[in-house]
Amino acid sequence: MPADRPTPQLANERVDHRFKALPPDAEGLTVGELAAQRRSLFTGGFTTPVLALSAESVEHNLRLLESYAEHHGLAFAPHGKTSMAPQLFDRQLEHGAWGITAAVPHQARVYRAHGIARIFLANELVDAPALRWLAAELDADPDFRFVCYVDSVRGVELMDAALTEAGARRPVDVVVELGAGEGARTGARTEADCTAVADAVAATTTLRLVGVAGYEAQVPQATPERVQAWLDRLVSLTAAFDKAGLFSPEIEEIVVSAGGSEWFDTVADVFAEIPELSLPVLKLLRSGAYVSHDSGHYRELTPFNRVPEEGALQPAFRLWAQVVSRPSPEEAFTNAGKRDLAYDLRLPEAEVVRDARTGAVRPADGIAVTALSDQHGWLRTEPGAAIEVGDWLGMGISHPCTAFDKWQLIPLVEADGTVVDYIRTFF
């Protein structure tokens, strides 16, 4: 959907005190009415702090991953936990995504409420109420496709019991999760463990084994060689399951899935060498952070640093805060802190200053964010650093997953500061 056309469901929502930073004089307008006004982020009545998304960078990133997936013959189910923003899900689907990945049942419910037809849940689902809800969704909609992890015999038993009790008419598609190694996160640790899980699935009528999956970023002391070795195990396990006839006979394709936002180049290389199997293979990538990218963690770890000839993602987030105190030549304080900024991986970076007197924007030379309180950012200022009370400081953030979740309605802003849409999140 174009950036300046909010979805009808969102367009009719009223602007009020629930949404941080929106202009106080917009109270009572619908989101659609406010978007149609195309206000300036800087002079249109917005209060600080305010988180903004670059319309141009979001579009660039969407196009880049679409072309990357097409070039490498990959299907793509971006992880929706990053943004929990159905408007962005729609844009991702328009740009070639197969479906959207979730981590927990609540996320899947949000997806379904906004019409997502294919969901890959990258977790073992053993919550009986959630499984009852899932069974009802599958039974009510024959076009709904759902796939989730299984990584234990006990998990299979719990799923089977809950689905049987719910009277599920359609089986739930599952993929065995191969763990990334000792000390990693979830997943069956050995091939023998994976085979035991597959055998347990085969003994049920409520589940169908459709593939194998995992998360390569959890490989301990990950290097390209270690990640490739684990991905080779994933592919070999898939081939062994196929040869042994462990995949459900009713399926039309075998799912092989991996690929966060740090190693999808290695995933693409290994998946390109998957041997011919008895059925077509859905090679499913799940990177999610790409849609906004960032100015820290993923900027350094993105695979495009290793394959620059294939393009580069652009950081789309900028948090604007106002300088509210300048108590000494060496320090200043903004009105944005932990309630507003991602800080779990690293502190935000001061990028630009918008002069309160002239409106001119300049680089934030000599200014560094050194700490965050709940509602204050601590700045260290070098001699000659030009910043004063009232100026707006534009900061880049690290780890988009913990930036989106602090904001319910995020202005989507063009390069000249015009707000063309508002991105609604559902955390």
Side-chain angles (χ1 to χ4, degrees):
M1 178 167 293
D4 57 354
R5 289 172 49 198
T7 60
Q9 181 177 357
L10 172 60
N12 294 327
E13 190 164 13
R14 294 288 172 182
V15 173
D16 58 25
H17 62 277
R18 292 171 297 161
F19 304 119
K20 296 193 293 185
L22 296 194
D25 67 352
E27 179 92 14
L29 295 176
T30 66
V31 172
E33 290 168 343
L34 181 57
Q37 292 181 357
R38 296 178 64 87
R39 297 194 184 197
S40 167
L41 184 74
F42 305 112
T43 62
F46 292 85
T47 63
T48 55
V50 56
L51 183 67
L53 269 173
S54 162
E56 293 88 352
S57 293
V58 168
E59 180 64 22
H60 169 85
N61 295 342
L62 289 167
R63 291 183 181 277
L64 181 58
L65 259 290
E66 178 183 22
S67 63
Y68 184 89
E70 288 179 353
H71 177 245
H72 291 279
L74 300 169
F76 193 27
H79 211 316
K81 71 174 176 62
T82 296
S83 71
M84 287 304 295
Q87 292 156 282
L88 296 181
F89 299 164
D90 288 345
R91 298 282 300 282
Q92 289 170 315
L93 292 167
E94 289 171 0
H95 283 278
W98 171 91
I100 306 294
T101 295
V104 293
H106 162 71
Q107 294 168 0
R109 290 185 63 201
V110 171
Y111 298 3
R112 288 299 290 161
H114 290 87
I116 302 302
R118 293 174 177 165
I119 297 174
F120 185 101
L121 195 143
N123 240 333
E124 188 168 65
L125 181 58
V126 295
D127 186 327
L131 286 162
R132 287 196 295 271
W133 168 82
L134 174 61
E137 286 290 301
L138 288 167
D139 290 346
D141 183 357
D143 294 325
F144 175 34
R145 177 83 191 276
F146 179 90
V147 181
C148 74
Y149 283 176
V150 286
D151 81 344
S152 66
V153 172
R154 175 59 176 160
V156 171
E157 293 171 349
L158 290 169
M159 294 182 73
D160 182 45
L163 292 167
T164 299
E165 183 178 354
R169 295 192 296 273
R170 285 179 61 190
V172 172
D173 288 348
V174 297
V175 291
V176 172
E177 182 192 6
L178 173 66
E182 292 301 323
R185 204 161 62 189
T186 55
R189 291 288 189 263
T190 69
E191 281 72 5
D193 292 338
C194 289
T195 301
V197 175
D199 288 339
V201 171
T204 74
T205 58
T206 57
L207 305 174
R208 295 196 313 175
L209 184 63
V210 300
V212 177
Y215 182 43
E216 73 290 338
Q218 283 291 306
V219 170
Q221 293 85 48
T223 63
E225 295 75 21
R226 289 175 183 267
V227 169
Q228 180 173 338
W230 178 81
L231 287 164
D232 287 338
R233 286 181 60 201
L234 188 77
V235 170
S236 295
L237 182 65
T238 305
F241 277 11
D242 187 43
K243 184 176 180 180
L246 293 178
F247 294 121
S248 296
E250 304 89 358
I251 67 175
E252 297 179 353
E253 63 184 2
I254 295 169
V255 178
V256 183
S257 181
S261 296
E262 297 177 28
W263 296 102
F264 56 73
D265 57 332
T266 309
V267 172
D269 290 343
V270 174
F271 280 11
E273 302 300 325
I274 291 178
E276 184 174 351
L277 302 179
S278 64
L279 292 169
V281 178
L282 181 72
K283 304 172 184 179
L284 195 61
L285 190 67
R286 304 193 307 274
S287 310
Y290 81 97
V291 69
S292 65
H293 198 46
D294 73 9
S295 299
H297 180 76
Y298 288 112
R299 176 185 62 192
E300 294 182 2
L301 296 179
T302 174
F304 287 113
N305 291 339
R306 295 185 291 271
V307 288
E309 67 277 7
E310 299 214 43
L313 294 168
Q314 298 176 0
F317 269 135
R318 178 163 284 169
L319 188 290
W320 290 95
Q322 197 164 29
V323 178
V324 295
S325 182
R326 187 78 157 101
S328 77
E330 296 80 26
E331 59 184 345
F333 293 86
T334 70
N335 60 352
K338 293 179 180 178
R339 305 296 187 188
D340 313 299
L341 286 154
Y343 61 92
D344 57 317
L345 294 181
R346 62 182 69 178
L347 291 171
E349 296 184 9
E351 294 181 335
V352 295
V353 175
R354 187 176 190 275
D355 192 289
R357 299 177 188 272
T358 67
V361 176
R362 60 180 180 269
D365 295 333
I367 302 169
V369 181
T370 59
L372 297 175
S373 301
D374 282 354
Q375 301 290 177
H376 288 92
W378 297 55
L379 306 181
R380 183 185 68 250
T381 57
E382 297 177 0
I387 191 166
E388 64 177 348
V389 171
D391 289 346
W392 283 30
L393 179 68
M395 290 175 278
I397 57 92
S398 185
H399 200 191
C401 299
T402 53
F404 275 107
D405 67 354
K406 293 175 175 60
W407 296 83
Q408 289 183 293
L409 205 59
I410 304 172
L412 188 69
V413 184
E414 291 183 339
D416 66 355
T418 301
V419 179
V420 295
D421 199 357
Y422 297 84
I423 303 301
R424 185 72 156 93
T425 66
F426 293 85
F427 284 93

